[in-house]
Amino acid sequence: DIVMTQSPDSLAVSLGERATINCKSSQSVLYRSNNKNYLAWYQQKPGQPPKLLFFWASTRESGVPDRFSGSGSGTDFTLTISSLQAEDVAVYYCQQYYTTPITFGQGTRLEIK
Amino acid sequence: QLQLQESGPGLVKPSETLSLTCTVSGGSISSTSYDWGWIRQPPGKGLEWIGSVHFSGTTRYNASLKSRVTISVDRSRNRFSLKLSSVTAADTAVYYCARPGVIPAAYWRGENWFDPWGQGTLVTVSS
């Protein structure tokens, strides 16, 4: 199985500041035949289901604010929030869909400092 | 707007079988060529993919649960179901169903992201 490891486990950032969450896969999720990274990011607020933010590592889902960005390739990926807003408090998960079984990172809890 | 709703008992006794249904509204379960998923989340913990089902009935399971899991689809009722046998306290979780994303056929490798997800239903395993 591909193990997805996120860092840090939790993060406190001041409003308006940048937040950066990392995700590392135990093997590459880049498919060289199409140069696509099979990685998605989700946001989960308390009491809610996960909400898709990005797929293909950096393709923003419709409706996601552009302060959110996804980057990276191969085994190392980053979710960045350029200017943290109060409504961004949540747990963030990465997920690989490169191969079966689908696996998720353990989650990163983002709070306001 | 497509919506998914999980339903089923919130309490299951140890060693019994957990049974949940995901009803799809606002769209057809046959509208996508990709596989609808079940994912679970133990209280306060992360996400675990359980398995997925195509509208044709083809299934894929997480090997860690495969011996206990059965996922099926009922196209006439626009829903799909999960059965997990011989449950223990470790199976206590919020269970989510979710729609697969749209991946161009040329990029398809067998798995998918999920969007949207149902609200989830908490199943507690306890006597």
Side-chain angles (χ1 to χ4, degrees), chain A:
Chain A
D1 298 2
I2 296 179
V3 177
M4 308 299 290
T5 303
Q6 293 181 226
S7 62
D9 289 334
S10 63
L11 179 63
V13 174
S14 300
L15 289 173
E17 296 299 306
R18 178 184 299 265
T20 302
I21 297 169
N22 301 301
C23 174
K24 188 175 185 67
S25 56
S26 61
Q27 65 186 75
S28 177
V29 298
L30 171 65
Y31 189 40
R32 296 202 176 275
S33 295
N34 57 26
N35 202 37
K36 290 289 192 182
N37 287 285
Y38 285 60
L39 183 112
W41 285 100
Y42 299 88
Q43 175 193 63
Q44 186 177 32
K45 296 182 178 180
Q48 296 185 17
K51 171 190 171 185
L52 179 70
L53 296 178
F54 292 92
F55 49 95
W56 303 129
S58 60
T59 301
R60 192 181 294 109
E61 171 71 342
S62 175
V64 174
D66 62 7
R67 65 180 179 274
F68 289 86
S69 62
S71 63
S73 185
T75 62
D76 293 282
F77 300 91
T78 300
L79 173 68
T80 302
I81 307 172
S82 60
S83 177
L84 188 70
Q85 304 299 304
E87 61 264 33
D88 301 334
V89 169
V91 179
Y92 293 84
Y93 294 93
C94 58
Q95 176 225 321
Q96 67 81 19
Y97 49 99
Y98 185 83
T99 191
T100 302
I102 291 165
T103 48
F104 295 86
Q106 81 277 17
T108 295
R109 185 175 302 276
L110 177 59
E111 300 173 332
I112 304 294
K113 185 187 291 183

Side-chain angles (χ1 to χ4, degrees), chain A residues 34 38 55-56 97, chain B residues 32-34 100-113:
Chain A
N34 57 26
Y38 285 60
F55 49 95
W56 303 129
Y97 49 99
Chain B
T32 175
S33 299
Y34 301 113
V102 178
I103 293 182
Y107 296 167
W108 177 245
R109 284 183 50 84
E111 292 299 350
N112 215 324
W113 66 81

Side-chain angles (χ1 to χ4, degrees), chain B:
Chain B
Q1 181 181 357
L2 188 127
Q3 293 183 316
L4 301 93
Q5 180 66 58
E6 304 88 352
S7 59
L11 181 64
V12 180
K13 290 182 168 56
S15 80
E16 295 190 344
T17 296
L18 176 160
S19 296
L20 297 174
T21 295
C22 179
T23 300
V24 179
S25 60
S28 170
I29 202 166
S30 305
S31 65
T32 175
S33 299
Y34 301 113
D35 302 349
W36 300 77
W38 283 102
I39 304 100
R40 71 180 183 178
Q41 184 173 37
K45 296 188 178 181
L47 300 161
E48 180 183 30
W49 174 71
I50 300 169
S52 297
V53 63
H54 188 263
F55 70 79
S56 66
T58 303
T59 54
R60 288 176 293 102
Y61 301 133
N62 192 324
S64 66
L65 297 167
K66 186 174 183 177
S67 63
R68 299 194 291 131
V69 173
T70 302
I71 298 175
S72 59
V73 64
D74 184 341
R75 291 166 60 182
S76 66
R77 295 187 176 185
N78 216 35
R79 68 188 192 187
F80 57 107
S81 300
L82 167 70
K83 291 186 186 299
L84 181 65
S85 64
S86 304
V87 297
T88 70
D91 296 309
T92 293
V94 175
Y95 286 76
Y96 296 101
C97 58
R99 184 188 70 175
V102 178
I103 293 182
Y107 296 167
W108 177 245
R109 284 183 50 84
E111 292 299 350
N112 215 324
W113 66 81
F114 293 107
D115 177 62
W117 298 46
Q119 280 299 308
T121 187
L122 174 64
V123 179
T124 301
V125 178
S126 175
S127 55

